[in-house]
Amino acid sequence: MGHFLYSTDIRINEEKRNLELGGHVGFDSLPDQLVSKSVAQGFCFNILCVGETGIGKSTLMNTLFNTTFENEEASHYEHEVQLRPQTYDLQESNVNLKLTIVHTVGFGDQINKEESYKPILEYIDAQFESYLEEELKIKRSLFNYHDTRIHICLYFIAPNGHSLKSIDLVTMKKLDSKVNIIPVIAKADTVSKSELDKLKIKVMSELVSNGVQIYQFPTENEAVAEINSSMNTHLPFAVVGSIEDVKVGNKMVKARLYPWGSVQVENENHCDFVKLREMLLRVNMEDLREQTHARHYELYRRCKLEEMGFKDTGPDSQSFSLQETYEAKRKEFLVELQRKEEEMRQMFVNKVKETEAELKEKEKELHERFEQLKRMHQEEKKTLEEKRRELEEEMNAFNRRRVAAETLMGQALQGCSQQPFKKDKDKKK
């Protein structure tokens, strides 16, 4: 069987050709099809709330979505920062939204700043890692996959003080490459209007001087360019949260009631809550989701794949094979594994040699100690033998003296007994 090679010279005309349609075709309904599909599938939106305990994170979330989310109160005595995600299914009109709110419990209570922001970074990376693992599976289910990647980080700034805290700058600097950040000044009703304006200017000045990249509302789309450009000048938003209905005039409004009056949450003269809600939910929610996927996740994915050995087309425009990349990475891994095994084996051999040397040294020391004790024992034995001989000699001498003494005493007693007998004989004569 012969093999034939066909070569074709294809010329690509980059110019678009405009054609006139003879009648209605029907692809103008494609946007309607996309909308119907998206509505049927539903949407997800994930919010990360970063701020110190008691700054009003939960209250603002309840106010934003006009509901009461379940949330446990946290104390100021947490040993470490805990990320507490809670997911809710919301419905407005015929649109379903799977909302996930992540609270940072205990943030700012640690002395070491690294202990405050490190758990947050690890949580964000973990969500990226989960999505990447699902993406790299052979059998993927991204259509119904619950995407937990953080779309927006609302960073709550305390209204006390005249500038940002060091922990705020450090944390936002660490987060700006991983998540969209919108800074908000919480409890804005605790400072005067003039002080609030000064604080806003100071916060933005410090963010710029420290190179912190916060989320800027997009101005490419002509439909929202004007309002987004205007809202970019109002950052950071000064917000007040409240779910209490207060009667002001003839209507009920969300407000915080004080002895001197009330602060209306949805009154733009009182705070920026309406601006935040408009920008976050009604105008730029899809852009936030898009930026998370196209910018932050892509950066994480690229770094991860480069670590795994994958690379894009080279300067010579030659395509690469995933199989070849895998095999090369596998060989590299096996070589590295063999090298580590050799290092461990050599380390084991060296450890055994060191142990043997130590044991020999210990054995030598024990042998020397034994010889020393043996010599001491012999010397003590010799000393004891000498003392025993001395004692025996003393005992023998004592026995001889005793015998001599007994003999003398016996002779003395015999002499005394014979003298009275001689006297009796003399008397008889």
Side-chain angles (χ1 to χ4, degrees):
M1 182 181 291
H3 296 275
F4 299 94
L5 179 64
Y6 295 92
S7 61
T8 308
D9 184 14
I10 302 176
R11 295 182 179 179
I12 301 176
N13 185 10
E14 296 182 355
E15 296 181 359
K16 297 179 181 179
R17 295 179 296 173
N18 295 324
L19 297 178
E20 294 290 338
L21 298 180
H24 182 262
V25 176
F27 60 79
D28 58 349
S29 65
L30 183 58
D32 299 330
Q33 297 175 35
L34 292 175
V35 170
S36 300
K37 181 180 178 181
S38 298
V39 170
Q41 185 179 356
F43 302 90
C44 69
F45 193 61
N46 307 317
I47 303 176
L48 172 65
C49 299
V50 180
E52 61 188 42
T53 305
I55 203 170
K57 302 185 292 294
S58 301
T59 304
L60 182 64
M61 290 297 103
N62 294 338
T63 312
L64 270 175
F65 294 94
N66 197 23
T67 187
T68 302
F69 297 113
E70 300 175 359
N71 190 33
E72 298 178 4
E73 292 187 3
S75 66
H76 285 281
Y77 303 101
E78 299 291 339
H79 297 291
E80 58 182 1
V81 177
Q82 298 178 2
L83 280 295
R84 188 181 295 167
Q86 292 177 320
T87 302
Y88 308 92
D89 291 321
L90 305 180
Q91 184 174 5
E92 189 174 30
S93 298
N94 63 334
V95 178
N96 295 318
L97 178 68
K98 187 180 288 292
L99 175 69
T100 300
I101 301 175
V102 184
H103 291 282
T104 54
V105 181
F107 177 79
D109 295 339
Q110 289 69 33
I111 297 176
N112 188 354
K113 298 180 181 64
E114 185 177 357
E115 295 178 0
S116 293
Y117 68 76
K118 189 175 180 181
I120 303 175
L121 295 176
E122 292 175 351
Y123 179 84
I124 295 174
D125 285 342
Q127 311 319 305
F128 286 152
E129 182 71 19
S130 299
Y131 191 88
L132 181 60
E133 288 178 359
E134 184 66 28
E135 209 175 34
L136 294 178
K137 285 182 180 178
I138 296 175
K139 187 177 179 180
R140 300 183 299 179
S141 57
L142 292 175
F143 179 78
N144 56 357
Y145 175 76
H146 180 205
D147 188 2
T148 58
R149 295 173 297 175
I150 301 299
H151 298 123
I152 180 64
C153 169
L154 291 179
Y155 195 95
F156 289 73
I157 301 170
N160 50 347
H162 301 285
S163 61
L164 290 170
K165 299 178 182 178
S166 59
I167 188 175
D168 298 331
L169 288 171
V170 172
T171 304
M172 281 193 275
K173 184 62 179 176
K174 293 291 183 180
L175 293 177
D176 64 357
S177 62
K178 295 180 177 294
V179 67
N180 304 311
I181 301 175
I182 294 181
V184 295
I185 300 175
K187 297 183 177 180
D189 54 337
T190 59
V191 293
S192 65
K193 189 71 173 177
S194 59
E195 290 177 348
L196 194 59
D197 293 337
K198 292 178 182 179
L199 181 58
K200 282 187 174 186
I201 296 172
K202 184 65 176 177
V203 167
M204 290 305 297
S205 174
E206 289 184 346
L207 291 176
V208 172
S209 61
N210 287 276
V212 179
Q213 301 292 326
I214 63 173
Y215 175 75
Q216 294 290 319
F217 302 118
T219 56
E220 293 81 9
N221 188 354
E222 294 181 359
V224 295
E226 184 177 354
I227 185 172
N228 281 348
S229 298
S230 174
M231 290 301 167
N232 282 329
T233 61
H234 286 82
L235 291 173
F237 293 130
V239 297
V240 177
S242 176
I243 57 173
E244 297 180 3
D245 291 323
V246 178
K247 188 174 182 179
V248 178
N250 296 326
K251 60 180 181 178
M252 301 296 291
V253 296
K254 300 290 183 184
R256 299 186 72 89
L257 192 61
Y258 295 98
W260 45 262
S262 62
V263 177
Q264 300 177 31
V265 172
E266 295 182 339
N267 189 335
E268 296 191 40
N269 293 323
H270 292 182
C271 68
D272 297 331
F273 173 79
V274 174
K275 296 183 177 67
L276 174 63
R277 185 177 60 188
E278 289 285 330
M279 293 297 97
L280 184 63
L281 304 178
R282 298 183 182 178
V283 180
N284 298 301
M285 178 184 281
E286 182 57 29
D287 185 74
L288 289 167
R289 288 158 39 90
E290 215 174 281
Q291 286 291 325
T292 299
H293 182 80
R295 179 186 170 194
H296 302 294
Y297 171 70
E298 283 299 320
L299 177 61
Y300 176 85
R301 177 179 175 275
R302 184 180 69 204
C303 295
K304 272 293 181 180
L305 293 181
E306 287 177 352
E307 289 178 6
M308 296 168 62
F310 294 97
K311 58 182 180 179
D312 288 333
T313 304
D316 51 357
S317 299
Q318 293 181 356
S319 61
F320 69 96
S321 171
L322 291 176
Q323 181 67 23
E324 291 177 358
T325 303
Y326 169 76
E327 291 294 337
K329 194 66 179 177
R330 184 172 180 273
K331 289 180 180 178
E332 182 182 345
F333 173 75
L334 292 176
V335 170
E336 182 69 16
L337 182 62
Q338 187 176 2
R339 184 185 66 81
K340 288 185 177 181
E341 288 179 352
E342 182 64 24
E343 287 181 357
M344 293 181 66
R345 189 188 67 80
Q346 189 64 35
M347 186 184 301
F348 177 75
V349 171
N350 294 337
K351 198 70 177 177
V352 169
K353 289 181 178 179
E354 291 177 2
T355 306
E356 287 180 351
E358 290 178 359
L359 289 175
K360 287 181 179 180
E361 187 68 25
K362 293 289 185 183
E363 184 181 3
K364 183 179 178 182
E365 291 178 1
L366 289 174
H367 185 70
E368 292 177 354
R369 181 66 176 169
F370 174 75
E371 291 295 331
Q372 183 181 0
L373 292 174
K374 187 177 179 181
R375 288 193 299 270
M376 291 174 62
H377 176 70
Q378 290 176 352
E379 291 176 358
E380 290 178 356
K381 186 178 180 182
K382 184 178 179 181
T383 304
L384 288 174
E385 288 292 333
E386 291 178 355
K387 288 184 177 180
R388 187 175 65 83
R389 285 194 298 270
E390 291 176 358
L391 287 173
E392 287 179 351
E393 290 176 357
E394 290 180 0
M395 288 177 65
N396 292 332
F398 174 77
N399 289 331
R400 287 194 296 271
R401 288 195 301 270
R402 187 185 66 179
V403 171
E406 289 177 350
T407 303
L408 289 175
M409 287 180 66
Q411 291 177 355
L413 291 173
Q414 186 177 3
C416 290
S417 62
Q418 288 178 356
Q419 286 179 359
F421 181 73
K422 287 180 179 182
K423 288 180 179 179
D424 290 341
K425 282 185 175 182
D426 291 340
K427 287 181 178 180
K428 288 180 179 181
K429 289 180 177 181

